[in-house]
Amino acid sequence: MATTGKLNGTIMILYVDGTAISSTTSHSLSYEMATRDATTKDSGGYEEVLESTRSWGIDFDGMEAFNDTYSYEELRSLISQRSQVTLLFSSQVSGDPQWSGKAYLTSVSLEAPLEETATYSGSFKGTGSLTATVIT
């Protein structure tokens, strides 16, 4: 049964090649469309635009644990090896939407403040389309 009411973001998990990134604390899925200039002398001094390419990406944050799946070092190696991965952003609840597509990890950073939990953050940039399906 699909999730009803306001969505609790805790149930949304990011999977890389079928494996969840451990210890994440937040995810952000973005979908955008670029525009191209269509302004002419007839535009009355206003910019006019037309549609152009679409793009998508997923940003994430988490708490570092060296023994977690996709710890900082494993994530960093995705950049070093220029690895394309398959992402799935899903609640795993039947009837809910989920999003998937191919992507590259474009950045990852590790922060280790004094007497605080070490954290990491990163960004995936999609290549090709983002597919939305309903979980069955």
Side-chain angles (χ1 to χ4, degrees), residues 28-34 52-58 99-100 125-126 128-132:
S28 176
L29 171 63
S30 63
Y31 191 71
E32 301 172 8
M33 182 180 70
S52 187
T53 58
R54 292 158 293 186
S55 63
W56 64 275
I58 297 179
W99 299 270
S100 63
K125 173 93 173 140
S129 65
L130 178 66
T131 304

Side-chain angles (χ1 to χ4, degrees), residues 57-60 79 87 104-109 121-125:
I58 297 179
D59 298 330
F60 60 93
I79 295 174
L87 298 182
Y104 290 95
L105 184 63
T106 58
S107 69
V108 64
S109 62
S121 61
S123 296
F124 284 99
K125 173 93 173 140

Side-chain angles (χ1 to χ4, degrees), residues 57-106:
I58 297 179
D59 298 330
F60 60 93
D61 299 296
M63 295 182 183
E64 176 63 16
F66 292 140
N67 62 331
D68 271 353
T69 303
Y70 287 111
S71 67
Y72 172 80
E73 184 55 27
E74 290 168 312
L75 290 165
R76 190 192 67 79
S77 72
L78 293 177
I79 295 174
S80 293
Q81 298 170 13
R82 299 178 178 183
S83 300
Q84 185 181 85
V85 296
T86 300
L87 298 182
L88 175 67
F89 191 44
S90 174
S91 68
Q92 297 296 316
V93 175
S94 180
D96 282 0
Q98 63 182 3
W99 299 270
S100 63
K102 303 282 186 186
Y104 290 95
L105 184 63
T106 58

